Amino acid sequence: MPVSSPCIGICRIDPKAGLCEGCARSLAEIAAWSSLSESERRQIMALLAGRSASTREAGR
């Protein structure tokens, strides 16, 4: 069974936000991803759209 991942291949950490510019995960989330349960991954993925929007608005 494939592992769910929000990665889109743009792997750069924004130094101000501390989040990946591609998927909006933190370094800690990225590092732990393979050891998280599918349920935990889905919980984090549910937060990512809001993080992306907040980060874009903060950059304006």
Side-chain angles (χ1 to χ4, degrees):
M1 182 177 201
V3 174
S4 297
S5 175
C7 182
I8 61 170
I10 301 172
C11 304
R12 290 186 301 262
I13 300 299
D14 179 286
K16 290 181 182 178
L19 301 173
C20 175
E21 292 178 9
C23 68
R25 290 181 291 172
S26 69
L27 282 173
E29 290 167 339
I30 293 167
W33 200 256
S34 63
S35 64
L36 297 174
S37 69
E38 185 64 19
S39 174
E40 291 168 319
R41 288 186 208 115
R42 290 186 187 278
Q43 288 174 1
I44 292 169
M45 289 171 64
L47 302 172
L48 299 180
R51 284 185 194 171
S52 294
S54 295
T55 302
R56 280 192 303 273
E57 291 200 11
R60 286 185 185 175

